[in-house]
Amino acid sequence: MAAALYGRPWGLGFSDMCLLTSDVPVAIWNRPDEEDQLLALAHSDVMLPLDPHRLLFLPNPRQRMHDPSKRTDHLLHVSGALGMALVDVAFDVADEFVVYHPQHDPWEHWSPSGPRQPKPWAGETHSAPEYLMEYPVFQAHLNIESRWTKEHPPRRKAAS
């Protein structure tokens, strides 16, 4: 598995949305509990939240085939709604626990919806959610502004 990860291009992402991390920090999208993890890894996106606003994202072979900029290491900016989708993925693949820094509370802007990834060891057999993320890659001469790692969207107003 290490060789498969080593050979893939990595996207270093910065998210406007505060990210969750779970007790399954490396999320193999759409196949998290596949019996053959090497095969799952070979065909899926892989995400690893690094801190509340940074993550590693390894695009799947289909994305790399269609977008030459994703065939090498690259930078990406994950804006609001897309950031919420990343929080969904982290929540959906968690076995039991999710964690976040108290100053980076994703629950202020996001709440779970829909079924999570089934836990086969607990007898769950429902259909699993599937994820697809399309994103632009920063041009090689550009960089990420540090403010994107510090600023947060405004707090969500409480429902009346």
Side-chain angles (χ1 to χ4, degrees):
M1 189 172 284
L5 291 172
Y6 179 78
R8 284 181 69 173
W10 294 40
L12 177 60
F14 294 82
S15 172
D16 292 339
M17 177 72 184
C18 299
L19 301 173
L20 283 175
T21 301
S22 79
D23 51 4
V24 183
V26 178
I28 299 177
W29 286 27
N30 302 329
R31 296 173 173 88
D33 294 311
E34 186 79 31
E35 200 160 309
D36 185 343
Q37 286 287 283
L38 284 175
L39 182 64
L41 177 72
H43 295 286
S44 297
D45 295 320
V46 178
M47 178 181 78
L48 171 63
L50 300 173
D51 71 18
H53 290 280
R54 287 181 275 272
L55 68 139
L56 288 177
F57 189 82
L58 286 69
N60 68 53
R62 189 172 0 117
Q63 284 198 48
R64 297 192 313 264
M65 182 176 66
H66 294 298
D67 186 347
S69 64
K70 294 177 185 164
R71 294 178 191 160
T72 60
D73 294 344
H74 54 277
L75 295 174
L76 61 136
H77 173 225
V78 181
S79 60
L82 194 51
M84 287 186 187
L86 296 181
V87 172
D88 260 338
V89 173
F91 182 78
D92 289 348
V93 302
D95 284 342
E96 194 169 345
F97 300 104
V98 292
V99 295
Y100 58 90
H101 190 281
Q103 293 176 335
H104 300 272
D105 184 355
W107 303 96
E108 292 178 13
H109 306 283
W110 168 88
S111 60
S113 63
R116 300 174 61 225
Q117 292 285 341
K119 299 176 186 172
W121 59 91
E124 295 179 0
T125 59
H126 62 270
S127 295
E130 292 192 11
Y131 318 100
L132 174 66
M133 183 168 101
E134 291 290 333
Y135 62 90
V137 170
F138 276 81
Q139 295 176 17
H141 70 282
L142 297 178
N143 204 337
I144 304 282
E145 293 180 38
S146 64
R147 69 179 175 90
W148 289 341
T149 66
K150 299 174 188 147
E151 293 179 10
H152 296 92
R155 291 182 185 263
R156 186 172 55 181
K157 293 181 180 179
S160 48

